[in-house]
Amino acid sequence: MTERVLIKDLAAHEDGTVTVSGWVEKVRDQRYVQFVVLRDESGAVQLVNGGVLREPDPENPRSDILVPRTTTISELTHGTFLTVTGELQHNERVKLGGVEIQIESIEVITKSLPDNPVAEDSGIDVRLDWRFLDLRRPEQNLVFRIQTTFLHALRNVWVERGFIEIQTPKLMASASESRAELFEVEYFEGKAFLAQSPQFFKQMAQAAGFGGIFEVGPAFRADHSFTSRHATEFTSIDTELSWIDSHEDVMELHEELIVAGLTAVREKHGEEVQKLFGIEITVPSRPFPRIPLAEAKELVKARGYEVPRADADMDPEGERQIAAWAKEEHGNDFVFLTDYDSSIRPFYHMRHEGDAHLTKSYDLIYRGTEISTGAQREHRIDVLEAQARDKGMDPAELSFYLDFFRYGVPPHGGFGMGLNRVLMLMLEQSSIREVTYLFRGPNRLLP
Ligand code: AMO
């Protein structure tokens, strides 16, 4: 492979011959000097042709100060991919990184069509149509380096705790969450459904004796909505663990993972995030505030907002209000809403012993938006079957799942967390479209 220097490393590199590769961002073609701004995945640098002293040519007295302009440079189009070798020079007067490269040779690897379809002020739809061009922007590149760091930090926690990573099937014979948001696909002579969550299979790992497990994978929801936080396909971070006493144990693991992820992002990318997004990565202190849903609704009411339906989940404005309360009272961007009413929770959530209307479950709110649902699961088959019937479900349809509970299963619980929502909120972006590699929504299946 060609010895290529990443542009971000040029400032620390000693003067001398270097080779860099990247995309042409700008060409300034002057009478005696040509400038090219070249960008790679790590940064941008100025390339110069001309304006340097050379050995005088006795035949041509002016050649001592002028290097000929080249049409190779004049004709470079935005986005053309080059490899350039030249003389690296540190020069404080160069605004772009304090270095420049005097071009010695240029190799045009691939030319770009001259009209860039993505302009600085292009709207999100144009940017998503041309996502590969949009992703060349340094802040977009940073999003995915942050995602890598965040997931790596989570994996470290799981691996240190001895959790096993699993990959569960995304083609299923039944729904895994609500029937309403289910994608049905043709499956040979029959039909299949796209997995809405690995819920059943992560619980199966508990019956299989895996103990702690995790999965980071796609989840599908036929959600015909166009909000900033819904996609039809998203990345779900899932974990499940055995031997818990209650949903409190799940919340503790959840906190540990969030703090590890944000700490790693802050340490590795904090400065760059400050520079490119103008924001701080903040790490929450533990424990995050916890508040039962019913109390949260009262608190929100006292703040002057009434959640429209008392028997329903918190609505988006309610979530914003409770987040404002958590920030004001506890200085925390995160808050757990706990003990949801069983009428608004799935059949597999365990209910409280003394009060069967309340579940041992929670949602985690980050900066006013739900990022997670978690719970202790019901592991007693008779209770589980009764809860399924209670929800109007036919236990026969769920027999493959219910069988997990007929042969001995430890008490367990877990959570699912939307990766795209976490990134959107962490980086204070207006939509998950900005932080999803390739967004999928009701109107978008391309590229
Ligand atoms: P739930 O349905 O609440 O719970 O989903 C968990 C988390 O997944 C994310 N999410 C979405 N993100 C983007 N677009 C969507 N359409 C979308 N739908 C959900 C959210 C949400 O909080 N099986 C349970 C989890 C569990 O109990 O382990 C479940 O799927 O961030």
Side-chain angles (χ1 to χ4, degrees):
M1 251 178 27
T2 317
E3 270 295 319
R4 159 175 106 93
V5 182
L6 277 178
I7 290 174
K8 78 172 166 50
D9 296 332
L10 289 172
H13 202 281
E14 63 193 37
D15 285 358
T17 305
V18 289
T19 298
V20 292
S21 292
W23 294 269
V24 172
E25 191 161 279
K26 233 183 263 164
V27 176
R28 257 193 307 140
D29 210 357
Q30 296 175 353
R31 194 160 170 211
Y32 296 121
V33 63
Q34 295 171 301
F35 296 100
V36 178
V37 174
L38 192 77
R39 181 175 292 283
D40 72 5
E41 64 272 30
S42 71
V45 66
Q46 175 164 284
L47 312 174
V48 191
N49 181 50
V52 287
L53 290 175
R54 299 206 317 175
E55 286 295 306
D57 172 357
E59 301 289 303
N60 178 0
R62 290 238 53 193
S63 70
D64 60 340
I65 53 163
L66 298 181
V67 172
R69 294 165 78 241
T70 97
T71 49
T72 314
I73 293 181
S74 312
E75 288 166 7
L76 286 175
T77 49
H78 176 102
T80 290
F81 192 82
L82 305 177
T83 290
V84 175
T85 299
E87 189 71 14
L88 176 70
Q89 291 169 354
H90 285 73
N91 178 351
E92 278 174 12
R93 288 201 317 248
V94 178
K95 280 199 205 118
L96 196 60
V99 291
E100 60 186 6
I101 296 173
Q102 288 286 342
I103 300 170
E104 281 163 11
S105 69
I106 287 192
E107 188 187 352
V108 173
I109 311 280
T110 43
K111 281 189 181 165
S112 170
L113 291 173
D115 46 341
N116 186 346
V118 184
E120 291 220 339
D121 56 355
S122 291
I124 184 75
D125 276 319
V126 173
R127 292 203 280 116
L128 293 191
D129 286 343
W130 295 95
R131 188 62 165 152
F132 68 98
L133 295 176
D134 188 42
L135 288 172
R136 285 184 192 170
R137 292 187 297 129
E139 58 273 38
Q140 285 293 333
N141 186 283
L142 180 57
V143 167
F144 295 94
R145 282 186 288 123
I146 288 172
Q147 177 176 298
T148 306
T149 301
F150 183 76
L151 288 175
H152 188 212
L154 265 56
R155 278 205 160 78
N156 280 344
V157 172
W158 282 314
V159 170
E160 270 167 30
R161 279 177 164 243
F163 280 38
I164 296 175
E165 179 162 10
I166 58 172
Q167 283 80 32
T168 63
K170 304 305 160 200
L171 285 169
M172 293 181 61
S174 71
S176 38
E177 293 295 324
S178 102
R179 286 212 141 258
E181 298 164 349
L182 199 53
F183 279 119
E184 192 177 307
V185 292
E186 280 177 27
Y187 197 68
F188 306 108
E189 280 76 47
K191 61 183 180 183
F193 303 103
L194 297 183
Q196 299 158 299
S197 155
Q199 183 63 39
F200 295 161
F201 304 124
K202 58 183 187 161
Q203 286 191 257
M204 187 188 96
Q206 310 311 299
F210 277 29
I213 60 94
F214 65 97
E215 175 172 12
V216 179
F220 304 89
R221 305 277 170 107
D223 201 336
H224 206 272
S225 71
F226 297 87
T227 75
S228 59
R229 63 208 165 102
H230 286 96
T232 48
E233 177 175 353
F234 63 96
T235 301
S236 185
I237 300 174
D238 276 274
T239 192
E240 198 76 17
L241 76 164
S242 279
W243 308 119
I244 62 168
D245 293 325
S246 75
H247 52 318
E248 179 57 38
D249 294 329
V250 184
M251 288 192 277
E252 277 175 29
L253 171 64
H254 209 150
E255 286 176 340
E256 185 182 345
L257 289 163
I258 296 274
V259 168
L262 285 173
T263 303
V265 171
R266 185 182 161 88
E267 277 170 10
K268 192 155 179 191
H269 307 288
E271 260 176 50
E272 249 182 307
V273 169
Q274 178 63 260
K275 223 164 50 196
L276 294 180
F277 289 99
I279 58 162
E280 287 269 321
I281 298 290
T282 47
V283 180
S285 54
R286 291 178 67 186
F288 304 168
R290 291 145 164 72
I291 178 157
L293 181 66
E295 271 178 47
K297 285 183 179 167
E298 287 304 313
L299 262 174
V300 164
K301 196 169 166 188
R303 292 175 67 88
Y305 178 74
E306 190 145 4
V307 179
R309 282 181 49 201
D311 59 344
D313 198 351
M314 207 57 132
D315 67 340
E317 179 54 27
E319 285 175 352
R320 277 190 285 277
Q321 290 287 339
I322 204 67
W325 168 84
K327 189 76 179 165
E328 286 160 23
E329 295 295 317
H330 299 272
N332 209 311
D333 286 333
F334 291 82
V335 53
F336 285 117
L337 298 182
T338 66
D339 304 285
Y340 278 67
D341 200 279
S342 55
S343 63
I344 49 172
R345 287 310 226 197
F347 74 98
Y348 55 80
H349 282 195
M350 185 178 268
R351 300 178 185 177
H352 280 278
E353 268 92 277
D355 188 347
H357 291 298
L358 292 184
T359 56
K360 295 189 177 188
S361 74
Y362 69 87
D363 271 10
L364 180 57
I365 311 292
Y366 180 20
R367 297 187 164 152
T369 296
E370 177 208 314
I371 55 167
S372 268
T373 295
Q376 175 164 12
R377 322 301 186 184
E378 181 51 70
H379 59 277
R380 296 161 297 186
I381 182 66
D382 46 336
V383 184
L384 190 58
E385 272 182 329
Q387 289 185 181
R389 257 188 242 106
D390 196 34
K391 293 264 176 201
M393 301 169 88
D394 176 7
E397 248 186 59
L398 287 169
S399 63
F400 84 95
Y401 170 72
L402 294 172
D403 279 348
F404 306 156
F405 304 87
R406 297 188 204 281
Y407 296 88
V409 61
H412 62 275
F415 68 81
M417 176 161 77
L419 171 63
N420 316 82
R421 288 196 189 174
V422 174
L423 284 168
M424 166 181 83
L425 297 158
M426 181 198 304
L427 299 173
E428 299 181 21
Q429 294 299 290
S430 56
S431 162
I432 56 173
R433 290 160 185 74
E434 298 283 352
V435 294
T436 304
Y437 184 64
L438 285 171
F439 173 77
R440 289 290 179 256
N443 285 352
R444 184 166 287 280
L445 279 172
L446 281 172

